[in-house]
Amino acid sequence: MTHFPDGSPYTYHRPAEGMVNIGWLDSSHEYRRGEVAEEVVDGLLRLVTRPDNQTRGLHECHFCGVIYLQVDNPHSKTGTSLLGSAEIHVRGSSDDTVLVAPTLVIHYILEHGYRPPDEFLEAVEVEVRRRFGEEVLTGRSS
């Protein structure tokens, strides 16, 4: 997978005005590390069940070298989700901004300590409410 710095203009797959890269990591570049709230990770697991820009190929994790990455996902009908072949799009604080992360962002957070920018973390929660309803984050729905 190609490295794109967080916040750089998105140019990878069907780019459009206002799209911004988040979480396109590579082992040859440093990245921000830190904790990510469980609610945000859960939101990403929900979003990966309806990914954007699904492709036929798989990208490997440049840190582990694993190509076929699956993550346990209680929101998936199969109980797991395949990572590395699609993207997650969330709206930023501006209506014109779309933050675009590879689905591998979940793996990077869980296994490599990546902490996406705060704007992305906040946007994930808003996007989950938009796509799945308010009850998702309050525990009234599975």
Side-chain angles (χ1 to χ4, degrees):
M1 183 167 66
T2 304
H3 171 264
F4 298 109
D6 284 349
S8 64
Y10 176 82
T11 59
Y12 187 63
H13 184 72
R14 298 184 195 153
E17 186 71 31
M19 296 177 83
V20 175
N21 292 308
I22 301 293
W24 295 83
L25 306 184
D26 185 281
S27 61
S28 63
H29 295 86
E30 291 295 318
Y31 59 91
R32 182 178 173 202
R33 297 172 190 268
E35 296 291 318
V36 173
E38 288 181 34
E39 294 80 16
V40 174
V41 173
D42 185 71
L44 288 167
L45 290 171
R46 287 182 187 278
L47 293 172
V48 80
T49 64
R50 297 182 191 170
D52 299 284
N53 286 344
Q54 181 71 53
T55 64
R56 293 182 186 200
L58 292 171
H59 289 285
E60 70 179 285
C61 171
H62 286 271
F63 303 101
C64 303
V66 177
I67 293 175
Y68 194 79
L69 281 167
Q70 289 191 43
V71 64
D72 291 338
N73 189 345
H75 309 295
S76 169
K77 291 177 184 174
T78 63
T80 62
S81 288
L82 180 64
L83 306 178
S85 66
E87 299 168 348
I88 296 171
H89 293 192
V90 297
R91 292 180 187 154
S93 56
S94 162
D95 288 338
D96 297 335
T97 303
V98 177
L99 306 170
V100 181
T103 57
L104 279 174
V105 73
I106 298 167
H107 172 76
Y108 296 150
I109 290 168
L110 294 173
E111 301 299 326
H112 302 294
Y114 170 60
R115 180 175 170 80
D118 291 341
E119 180 182 13
F120 179 77
L121 301 177
E122 293 164 9
V124 166
E125 294 185 52
V126 171
E127 190 71 21
V128 167
R129 282 189 200 100
R130 187 182 71 76
R131 289 195 201 181
F132 299 96
E134 185 71 29
E135 68 278 359
V136 167
L137 296 176
T138 61
R140 292 189 301 250
S141 173
S142 60

